[in-house]
Amino acid sequence: MKVTRLYTVRHLLTVTCGLTGVALLAIGANTALDLHTSAAAKVVSTQERASALQLALIIGNGNYPDAAEPLNQPINDASGLAYAMRRHGFDVDVVMDATKSDMARAVERLKSRIKPGSVVMLFFGGYGVQSRHETYMIPTDAVIWKEGDVRHEGMSVETVLHAIKERGARASLAVLDASRRNPYERRFRSYSHGLAPVNAPNNALIISSNTPGKVADDTKGQHSVLVTELLNELNAHVSAEGVFNKTRVAVFRASSGAQMPSVSSSLLEDVHFSPSNDPDLTTASIAPITTGNASLVAQK
């Protein structure tokens, strides 16, 4: 009898241990699967975030038939800024000597890639003309004989910025290096010097190469004064608003006071440029502003 009981107890212990082992193996397998799934989801999330959150459209127009001679700096500026923005983790679309249809297609491409939470930059270098207190980016094939043609042939900066906002972008940045004396002025009844103030949507930051209503002459350098100083300031570990403000001061000093860029901000959040060589900083970081803190096509 005792032997039978002892055998029964041992048999029960063996079965129990076996069942416990199977259960532990199942739990371990499920845990490993969950961890693998979580890691995979994290990788996908990081990749989606990197491709979705930082976009730039950089347009450089230099060859205008109506101009006395080509503008060399916008092409160089577009190339230099595109390289710099890629280093900061932006997915960049570059358009050189863009016609009206080229610019329209580029804007549509940009809009199609914007996702909620995106930080989007627009750069335009070339001729900008104001009409009815609104600034227009001029394509290279524009046919302009009177001021009304500007609104038909050009592309409104405000329209583009509002379209970016409507697509769900969290913040918009614009660099307008277009305060040149336009080649069409003598055809107008009245002159329209420089650019107009931009009526931007909320959470936008804009810098233009000179004060509204004033023109900026090109220098003999490889880059315009604005882009030269902007490239110098981009590596500073400060907010985008800080970069733009430092650029404004640097341009004023470099031009001996002849050129004062205009910076306007409706940002509700701080936007920081993060270097892309750090895998943990592949996207522009956005943080709430605390109280007291007073654009041939090449794609990445």
Side-chain angles (χ1 to χ4, degrees):
M1 179 67 79
K2 290 182 179 180
V3 173
T4 302
R5 288 179 179 175
L6 180 61
Y7 174 79
T8 302
V9 171
R10 287 180 176 177
H11 180 71
L12 288 172
L13 287 173
T14 300
V15 172
T16 301
C17 289
L19 291 173
T20 302
V22 172
L24 289 175
L25 286 173
I27 293 172
N30 285 333
T31 301
L33 181 60
D34 289 342
L35 289 174
H36 177 74
T37 302
S38 176
K42 185 176 181 180
V43 170
V44 172
S45 175
T46 300
Q47 290 174 341
E48 287 179 350
R49 194 173 57 200
S51 64
L53 287 189
Q54 293 189 119
L55 303 170
L57 172 57
I58 295 178
I59 303 172
N61 287 351
N63 291 298
Y64 289 88
D66 285 333
E69 58 185 14
L71 301 171
N72 295 319
Q73 289 180 337
I75 304 299
N76 295 331
D77 292 342
S79 297
L81 189 58
Y83 175 77
M85 298 316 297
R86 288 188 178 112
R87 288 180 55 209
H88 285 278
F90 276 72
D91 192 348
V92 181
D93 188 357
V94 187
V95 186
M96 304 289 196
D97 283 332
T99 63
K100 183 178 180 179
S101 59
D102 291 334
M103 290 172 63
R105 285 194 295 267
V107 170
E108 289 303 314
R109 282 196 304 272
L110 176 66
K111 288 165 57 179
S112 70
R113 294 157 61 208
I114 295 173
K115 298 180 180 179
S118 297
V119 173
V120 182
M121 171 180 275
L122 169 68
F123 169 82
F124 178 76
Y127 285 116
V129 180
Q130 63 166 297
S131 177
R132 293 184 180 177
H133 310 293
E134 191 169 348
T135 292
Y136 291 83
M137 301 176 287
I138 305 301
T140 56
D141 64 344
V143 178
I144 297 176
W145 290 97
K146 57 185 182 298
E147 185 180 341
D149 294 335
V150 172
R151 299 187 294 276
H152 180 263
E153 298 287 323
M155 178 173 287
S156 164
V157 173
E158 293 180 8
T159 297
V160 175
L161 292 178
H162 281 281
I164 291 172
K165 178 67 175 177
E166 289 173 357
R167 294 293 296 183
R170 192 169 181 181
S172 304
L173 311 176
V175 179
L176 305 176
D177 196 1
S179 299
R180 296 174 172 87
R181 186 178 299 280
N182 76 73
Y184 318 105
E185 276 189 339
R186 294 183 180 179
R187 303 174 183 178
F188 300 169
R189 291 183 178 180
S190 60
Y191 286 172
S192 55
H193 294 297
L195 306 183
V198 178
N199 180 21
N202 288 338
N203 235 7
L205 176 66
I206 302 163
I207 184 169
S208 60
S209 51
N210 209 347
T211 305
K214 294 187 177 181
V215 298
D217 296 325
D218 282 354
T219 61
K220 295 182 179 180
Q222 179 181 5
H223 296 293
S224 69
V225 178
L226 177 69
V227 171
T228 296
E229 301 303 334
L230 177 60
L231 293 175
N232 289 338
E233 298 297 341
L234 271 174
N235 292 325
H237 296 286
V238 296
S239 66
E241 193 162 352
V243 169
F244 281 18
N245 282 327
K246 286 178 175 290
T247 299
R248 175 177 57 83
V249 174
V251 169
F252 180 78
R253 291 173 176 170
S255 65
S256 300
Q259 189 173 335
M260 171 60 85
S262 171
V263 176
S264 60
S265 175
S266 60
L267 284 181
L268 303 175
E269 302 160 283
D270 277 337
V271 178
H272 292 268
F273 296 114
S274 301
S276 61
N277 56 358
D278 186 337
D280 294 326
L281 296 174
T282 55
T283 58
S285 58
I286 308 176
I289 293 179
T290 57
T291 302
N293 291 342
S295 162
L296 171 70
V297 176
Q299 287 182 273
K300 179 182 175 182

